[in-house]
Amino acid sequence: MVAIGGLALIKLGGSIATFKEKPLTFNSDGVKSISRVLKGVVDASGIPIILVHGGGSFGHYYSVMYDMHSKPAGYSREGISRVRCSMIDLNSRIVSVMLDEGLRPYTLHPSSFIMEAKKVIDSRVRELYEVSKHGLIPVTHGDVMHYQDDLYYILSGDEIMSILAEHLRDRVMVALFTLSLDGVYKDMQSRELIKELRYASDAKMDDVGMDVTGGMRRKVREGLRIASLGIDVWFVNGNHPERIADVLKGNDTIGTVIRGSRGEESRGEDRRV
Ligand code: IP8
């Protein structure tokens, strides 16, 4: 197996790690099959990986219940506690499965590298990369974050993917988002898969189910942002984990790719959502 060099950023979508329609239900088998595939890739190639997971029917369940969003505000104290607790719970379930499958996960909560007022600490992000180089898989996740004073906000794992890509841009070879769909569709009626997405307008996303952090629209926006750093971005179906292996081996697969476009600033501008 010949893996592409450099670091892989992988987003484990909430729709893969949990059953989104059933509150607080963990998809143990889904995480297990992805872990097995990652174990195969890591053993064969030693590729460093950082994993980011979403909230699914854990964090999103409570953020909807308590009307909490990505905009900093004085949300319900109980809601803040419940979202945070549920994300810690989901994280510990995910890393337990990974550990059982022979991977070596190492959780670094987003509050370890994102401080007050969304300030990202570069040296703390680099710590994730350092950890990833030495046989461990740093695992981080979307969360409810303290903004300042009594203000809190929901931080999406998709946004964390962009933050990591930006701060580790010289290291990242590929960013991969796992979804419960085959990739990004032109529209939800035809479900025609976009093999290569170049502009936000390639996909009509109005009909795609939204969650508090913006659903598919957010993913495409962060994907375009990451691609503008010169990093290839893939959206693949996490229910077919072999597609994750294909991407990590540098092969083509069923999914949507946004090719990295470093140096094409003007096109990057057009690519904004
Ligand atoms: O599922 C949001 O992360 P996402 C996490 O990546 C919470 O949007 C706390 C709702």
Side-chain angles (χ1 to χ4, degrees):
M1 183 190 299
V2 182
I4 51 179
L7 173 67
L9 295 179
I10 301 179
K11 168 82 195 288
L12 180 61
S15 57
I16 295 295
T18 74
F19 294 102
K20 267 200 122 170
E21 309 312 322
K22 293 189 204 148
L24 308 173
T25 315
F26 177 52
N27 181 3
S28 171
D29 289 342
V31 176
K32 198 183 280 183
S33 6
I34 291 181
S35 299
R36 279 190 189 153
V37 164
L38 292 182
K39 170 83 173 128
V41 174
V42 166
D43 283 353
S45 69
I47 183 172
I49 291 172
I50 297 177
L51 194 100
V52 182
H53 68 80
S57 68
F58 284 68
H60 280 292
Y61 171 64
Y62 285 121
S63 50
V64 169
M65 181 183 287
Y66 290 91
D67 198 22
M68 298 162 67
H69 303 270
S70 46
K71 188 175 179 310
Y75 298 114
S76 147
R77 308 292 98 168
E78 182 175 344
I80 295 164
S81 288
R82 289 207 183 274
V83 171
R84 172 60 65 95
C85 279
S86 70
M87 290 310 296
I88 304 279
D89 180 8
L90 177 59
N91 176 262
S92 88
R93 292 176 195 231
I94 290 172
V95 294
S96 295
V97 169
M98 291 172 72
L99 195 51
D100 287 349
E101 293 308 315
L103 293 168
R104 297 294 169 250
Y106 183 78
T107 295
L108 282 159
H109 301 292
S111 49
S112 78
F113 54 92
I114 303 171
M115 307 291 142
E116 230 189 15
K118 295 196 179 188
K119 189 176 183 323
V120 179
I121 309 296
D122 185 68
S123 61
R124 305 298 288 269
V125 176
R126 296 211 157 254
E127 190 186 346
L128 272 78
Y129 174 62
E130 286 305 316
V131 169
S132 77
K133 285 197 304 190
H134 304 291
L136 287 161
I137 299 183
V139 179
T140 191
H141 53 85
D143 208 347
V144 58
M145 302 287 286
H146 179 234
Y147 188 73
Q148 60 191 24
D149 303 323
D150 72 334
L151 308 178
Y152 290 79
Y153 65 101
I154 299 290
L155 173 68
S156 165
D158 299 332
E159 199 176 335
I160 297 179
M161 289 285 282
S162 281
I163 291 170
L164 298 179
E166 201 178 304
H167 285 260
L168 301 173
R169 61 163 85 187
D170 46 337
R171 303 284 176 225
V172 181
M173 289 306 297
V174 70
L176 188 155
F177 291 78
T178 61
L179 317 168
S180 54
L181 307 171
D182 280 344
V184 183
Y185 298 137
K186 279 199 176 131
D187 58 67
M188 284 310 276
Q189 279 74 43
S190 69
R191 288 198 159 220
E192 192 186 328
L193 183 67
I194 302 173
K195 291 199 169 134
E196 183 171 344
L197 188 141
R198 293 167 65 84
Y199 305 102
S201 54
D202 289 347
K204 279 203 194 74
M205 284 170 288
D206 299 344
D207 298 328
V208 178
M210 298 283 273
D211 50 38
V212 294
T213 53
M216 190 62 107
R217 186 184 299 277
R218 152 87 64 185
K219 288 183 200 312
V220 169
R221 182 168 76 203
E222 301 303 342
L224 288 164
R225 209 171 263 168
I226 296 170
S228 74
L229 300 167
I231 299 164
D232 282 356
V233 178
W234 279 88
F235 296 89
V236 300
N237 193 334
N239 294 311
H240 295 273
E242 69 286 355
R243 297 179 192 169
I244 300 173
D246 288 337
V247 171
L248 298 181
K249 289 183 219 167
N251 296 338
D252 202 12
T253 196
I254 298 170
T256 299
V257 64
I258 311 176
R259 295 284 171 203
S261 63
R262 203 186 318 234
E264 294 177 55
E265 255 68 64
S266 58
R267 197 168 127 212
E269 195 68 23
D270 290 337
R271 285 172 151 211
R272 286 202 189 135
V273 178

